[in-house]
Amino acid sequence: MNSNALTKPGLRAILTGVFFFLGAWLGLTQTVTEDGIAILWPANAVLLTALLLTPRREWTGLATAALIAACTAALSVSFPLWSASLFGLVNIFESFLAAFLIRRFCGPGFDFQSLKHLRIFILTGPLVACSVAALLGAAVYNILDRTDNPFWVFWRLWWFADAVGLLLLTPLFASCWHAISTGWRSVRAPHYSKITELVVIWTAIAITGFYAFDFARQGSVEFFLTPVLLLGFVVWTATRFRLLATTATVSIIAVVAVALLIQPLSTYTETIAPQEAIWLTQEYLVVVSIIAVGLSGLIQKIRRQNASLRFQERAIQASNDPISVVDVRQSDMPITWVNPKFEELFGYRAAEIVGQGCQFLQDGDQQKTTIEIIRAAVAESKPCRVQVRNYTKSGKLLWIDLSLAPVSNHAGTVTHYVGIQHDLTQEKEAEERLREANRAIEQQNEVLEEKVQERTQSLNRAVEKLKKVASTDFLTGIANRRHFYEVAKRELKRLKQDGRTAALVAFDLDHFKTINDTFGHEAGDEVLRGVMTPVETTIRPTDLFGRIGGEEFLILLPDTPESAALDIAERIRTQISETPVNYGTTPLQVTASFGIAEWDGSCGLDQLVRQADQALYRAKSEGRNRARA
C-alpha cells in the first residue's frame, strides 16, 4: 500500500470503511460458532486504530465510513437495515469512547511501545469501552428478542468478543499503519535468519495449536496438550522481535483457536458447555494478548534503557570495571595492557598477561560462535558485545559480558580494541535458580487450574440441573405450563417480527377421570407418559410441546398453516387411539380430542389458546376422539 494513501483524509476514511467492512464480515461469518456466538470482533480494532492515529476533525468522516461498512456487512448476512444500524452505532460508540479516553490520558502521541500508554489502552479500551458497549448491545438483542441467552450471559459474550478483537488487532493495525505511513522506514529489513526463525515459530504454532485446542476441547485423557504451551512461542517472539511480529504471532494463535472453536460443538458436551468453551478461549486470547503486547513493550523499553546504560557505562568503566587492550594489527591479537581491576578479577599479574593472545583466558574452551562475532567486528572496525566463558588463574569459571570498542590512531586506522569486562557469573547462577523456581510455580499453577476447572464444571452441571427442573414437567419430561408460556410468547414475538405464521394444537385425553377412578392414579400417570411417544415422534424438533395441567397439552407449530396442523393432529390422534397403554398386564385403550387454531400474526398467546380450546370443545361435543379447527 502506498504511504500517500494515509496522508489524505478522504482516502483514510475510505480505507477505514473498507477494512471495517472486512473486519465486520469476518466477525459475522468466520468467527461465529454453530450457536451464532461471535468469538472475536475484528472491526472495532480498525476504527479505533484510525481514531488514535488521525486528527479529531476527521472523526466524523471515519464514523460515517464505519457506519456504512457496518450496515453493508450486516445486510450481507441478512440482518434488517434498522437492526444493522443499531449494532453499527453501538460498535462506533465503543471505538469512540475508547479513543476519547486513551487520547484524554495519553495525549495525541499514543504509542504501544510505551508501558504507560499500554496500561491506559488495556484499561480504557477492552475493559471500560467494551464492557459499556456490551451493555448496549445486549440490551438491543434482548429488546429485539433475537437471542435465547440471558442478558448477562450475552453481555459477557459481547464484551469478551470485542475485547479480544481490540487486544489482538489494534496493536497489529497500529504497527502496520505506522510502518506504511513512514514508507516502511521504521521497519528494518530482517535478516534471512530472522525470517526463517519467524517461519519456524509460526509453523510450530499452527501445528501445536491445532493439537492443543483440538485435544483441549475433546478432553482427551490419553493426550491433553494444554494451550498454555503456546505462551512459550509468544514469549520467544516478544523477546526476539518487535511489536509487529509479536502481534502477528498472537493473531496466528487466535486464528487457530477460532478455526477449531467454530467447528461443531458436540465434542464439548462431555466436558464443558459451548458458552464456557467460548469464554475460556476468549479469556485465554485476552491473557495471551496482554502478555505479548506488554512483554514486547517491556522488552523494547529494556532495550532502550540498556542502550542508554551502555553509553553511560563507557564513560565510567575505565576505572570501575576490568579493562584490557589488545593489538588487532597482529593475527593473534595479543593483550597489551590491563588495569588493576582486571588483575583482581582473574588473579593474574599484568606481567603474566601482557603479550598473551586474547584467547588466553578461555583456557582451551572452544567458543567458535563468539570468536567469529569478535573477528567479524574487528574486520569491519566496529564495536561489539558478546558473552564469553573465561577462567581465573585458579580455574574458576566466570561468565563475562565483554564490550569491545575500536581505537583509531591519528590517521583514522583502527589499531587496538578496548575490552571492558563485566562479571555475569552471579546473574547466570541467579537466572538458573529463577528458572527452577518458575518451573516449580508453573507445576503448582497447573494443579490449581485443574482443581478450579473441575469445581467450575461441577457448579455448571448443578446449575443446568436446577434450570431443567424448573422448566420441565416432572411426570412427562416435557415443558411445564410456565416454561411453555414463556417460550411460546417469545417465539410468537419473533415470528411476528419476521412476518411468519404458526398454529396451536390443544388436546386432552378422553375420559381420563374414568381411568383414574377405575385403575388408580398410577395408571393415569402411566397413560400420560404413554401418549408422549406418539406426539414426540410426529412433531419437529423446532415445535414446542408442553403439559398445561392434568391431561391437557399444547403444541405450538411455527411456520405451519391450519391445514398442515390439522393433519399433524390427526396423525397423533390416530397413533394414540391405535396404541394401547400397558398398565401392568392390563392394556388401557386411550383416545384424545384435538382443537387447532391458526395464528393471525397479531393476537397474543392467551387469545390463541382460547381459540384452540373452543375448537377442542367442539371436538368433544361432536363425540370425542377427533380433531377440529
Side-chain angles (χ1 to χ4, degrees):
M1 184 183 297
N2 195 317
S3 61
N4 293 330
L6 297 180
T7 61
K8 300 177 181 179
L11 289 177
R12 280 200 290 261
I14 293 174
L15 288 174
T16 299
V18 170
F19 284 101
F20 191 96
F21 168 80
L22 292 175
W25 180 84
L26 287 172
L28 291 170
T29 61
Q30 304 302 310
T31 69
V32 177
T33 66
E34 277 191 333
D35 293 346
I37 300 173
I39 303 169
L40 63 87
W41 184 251
N44 292 357
V46 175
L47 181 56
L48 178 57
T49 300
L51 294 173
L52 290 176
L53 300 177
T54 57
R56 290 189 177 180
R57 62 178 178 272
E58 297 180 24
W59 284 15
T60 302
L62 296 175
T64 303
L67 182 58
I68 294 173
C71 293
T72 305
L75 290 173
S76 69
V77 292
S78 303
F79 269 75
L81 178 60
W82 57 274
S83 63
S85 301
L86 281 178
F87 294 131
L89 290 173
V90 171
N91 288 320
I92 292 171
F93 166 77
E94 174 186 308
S95 301
F96 268 69
L97 177 60
F100 171 80
L101 294 174
I102 291 172
R103 297 187 70 162
R104 169 66 178 80
F105 295 104
C106 298
F110 179 79
D111 183 9
F112 275 106
Q113 300 294 336
S114 168
L115 291 181
K116 176 185 176 183
H117 290 186
L118 180 59
R119 287 196 302 269
I120 294 173
F121 164 74
I122 294 174
L123 291 175
T124 58
L127 185 60
V128 176
C130 290
S131 61
V132 173
L135 290 173
L136 299 176
V140 173
Y141 256 87
N142 273 266
I143 292 173
L144 299 178
D145 203 22
R146 299 190 68 91
T147 177
D148 293 332
N149 289 315
F151 177 85
W152 292 111
V153 171
F154 193 83
W155 166 75
R156 182 177 176 183
L157 289 169
W158 182 302
W159 175 19
F160 274 44
D162 284 10
V164 170
L166 290 188
L167 280 169
L168 278 175
L169 300 176
T170 307
L172 177 63
F173 292 160
S175 298
C176 292
W177 182 300
H178 182 65
I180 294 171
S181 62
T182 58
W184 297 95
R185 291 187 301 273
S186 60
V187 181
R188 293 183 298 179
H191 192 267
Y192 75 92
S193 61
K194 287 284 189 179
I195 297 176
T196 303
E197 183 178 355
L198 268 181
V199 171
V200 170
I201 290 173
W202 291 347
T203 303
I205 286 175
I207 297 173
T208 307
F210 172 81
Y211 285 101
F213 291 107
D214 190 52
F215 280 104
R217 72 175 191 156
Q218 295 182 29
S220 172
V221 176
E222 291 80 13
F223 185 64
F224 192 93
L225 183 59
T226 171
V228 176
L229 289 177
L230 296 176
L231 282 176
F233 298 108
V234 173
V235 173
W236 180 272
T237 308
T239 55
R240 294 276 296 165
F241 299 90
R242 294 183 179 271
L243 183 63
L244 181 59
T246 302
T247 51
T249 301
V250 179
S251 298
I252 291 174
I253 294 176
V255 168
V256 175
V258 172
L260 287 172
L261 197 60
I262 62 176
Q263 299 301 315
L265 293 175
S266 59
T267 51
Y268 285 110
T269 55
E270 298 180 0
T271 57
I272 192 168
Q275 289 179 351
E276 287 294 325
I278 293 171
W279 284 338
L280 289 174
T281 302
Q282 290 173 330
E283 291 171 358
Y284 171 78
L285 293 177
V286 167
V287 171
V288 170
S289 301
I290 293 175
I291 291 175
V293 179
L295 184 59
S296 178
L298 179 62
I299 293 298
Q300 294 303 319
K301 181 177 181 180
I302 291 174
R303 286 172 178 167
R304 290 193 297 268
Q305 290 178 341
N306 284 344
S308 176
L309 287 174
R310 284 194 297 270
F311 175 80
Q312 297 174 17
E313 285 173 352
R314 290 207 175 171
I316 62 174
Q317 281 182 345
S319 59
N320 293 334
D321 280 328
I323 300 173
S324 62
V325 178
V326 298
D327 188 349
V328 296
R329 294 169 298 183
Q330 301 182 43
S331 59
D332 60 345
M333 291 186 288
I335 300 173
T336 60
W337 181 86
V338 295
N339 71 346
K341 285 288 184 180
F342 190 99
E343 296 177 283
E344 179 182 331
L345 177 63
F346 292 102
Y348 289 101
R349 292 181 291 107
E352 298 176 280
I353 299 173
V354 172
Q356 297 283 355
C358 61
Q359 299 183 34
F360 163 67
L361 296 174
Q362 295 174 14
D363 196 24
D365 189 347
Q366 299 297 320
Q367 303 175 57
K368 293 182 179 180
T369 302
T370 302
I371 300 302
E372 289 175 358
I373 293 173
I374 295 174
R375 291 190 180 279
V378 172
E380 298 178 6
S381 300
K382 292 182 178 180
C384 70
R385 187 168 187 171
V386 294
Q387 290 187 4
V388 296
R389 297 185 298 272
N390 285 345
Y391 295 85
T392 65
K393 187 176 182 177
S394 62
K396 178 184 177 182
L397 171 64
L398 297 179
W399 280 93
I400 299 297
D401 178 21
L402 176 61
S403 297
L404 295 173
V407 179
S408 303
N409 58 17
H410 63 280
T413 301
V414 174
T415 59
H416 294 77
Y417 263 75
V418 176
I420 303 174
Q421 300 166 61
H422 182 66
D423 186 4
L424 296 178
T425 305
Q426 291 183 354
E427 287 88 338
K428 287 289 185 179
E429 294 172 351
E431 287 176 4
E432 184 60 31
R433 291 193 297 271
L434 182 60
R435 279 192 291 268
E436 292 293 334
N438 285 338
R439 282 192 287 268
I441 293 174
E442 288 174 358
Q443 292 175 354
Q444 292 295 325
N445 286 340
E446 290 176 1
V447 173
L448 181 60
E449 288 175 1
E450 290 177 359
K451 291 182 178 179
V452 171
Q453 187 174 7
E454 290 175 359
R455 181 59 176 166
T456 302
Q457 292 175 355
S458 175
L459 292 174
N460 288 337
R461 287 193 295 269
V463 170
E464 290 300 322
K465 185 176 181 180
L466 289 174
K467 288 182 179 178
K468 185 175 181 180
V469 170
S471 62
T472 304
D473 178 61
F474 74 96
L475 182 61
T476 61
I478 63 175
N480 59 22
R481 178 187 181 91
R482 181 182 63 81
H483 185 62
F484 180 89
Y485 270 73
E486 286 179 356
V487 177
K489 288 179 179 179
R490 186 164 65 243
E491 181 67 8
L492 290 180
K493 184 177 181 181
R494 184 178 66 83
L495 293 172
K496 182 177 181 180
Q497 290 175 343
D498 297 338
R500 294 153 63 189
T501 185
L504 183 70
V505 177
F507 75 93
D508 67 9
L509 305 180
D510 300 330
H511 305 298
F512 182 71
K513 185 175 183 301
T514 302
I515 295 175
N516 276 335
D517 294 342
T518 303
F519 298 98
H521 288 283
E522 290 184 358
D525 292 346
E526 192 64 33
V527 168
L528 291 175
R529 286 190 290 267
V531 300
M532 293 300 101
T533 300
V535 178
E536 292 175 340
T537 56
T538 303
I539 63 175
R540 302 165 299 184
T542 55
D543 299 332
L544 180 62
F545 180 33
R547 181 187 177 197
I548 306 307
E551 72 277 20
E552 300 173 1
F553 300 88
L554 290 177
I555 307 172
L556 181 62
L557 304 171
D559 300 313
T560 305
E562 182 182 271
S563 59
L566 184 59
D567 180 64
I568 293 171
E570 279 292 341
R571 282 186 281 152
I572 296 173
R573 183 194 65 77
T574 300
Q575 290 188 52
I576 292 176
S577 64
E578 294 178 353
T579 308
V581 177
N582 293 321
Y583 175 61
T585 59
T586 304
L588 301 177
Q589 192 68 39
V590 183
T591 62
S593 300
F594 291 76
I596 297 95
E598 184 172 15
W599 183 51
D600 61 5
S602 61
C603 72
L605 179 62
D606 293 335
Q607 183 177 348
L608 185 61
V609 172
R610 285 194 296 271
Q611 294 173 1
D613 283 340
Q614 290 172 3
L616 173 61
Y617 178 77
R618 188 153 57 89
K620 291 280 190 181
S621 65
E622 293 179 6
R624 295 183 170 83
N625 191 25
R626 64 197 65 219
R628 291 291 181 264

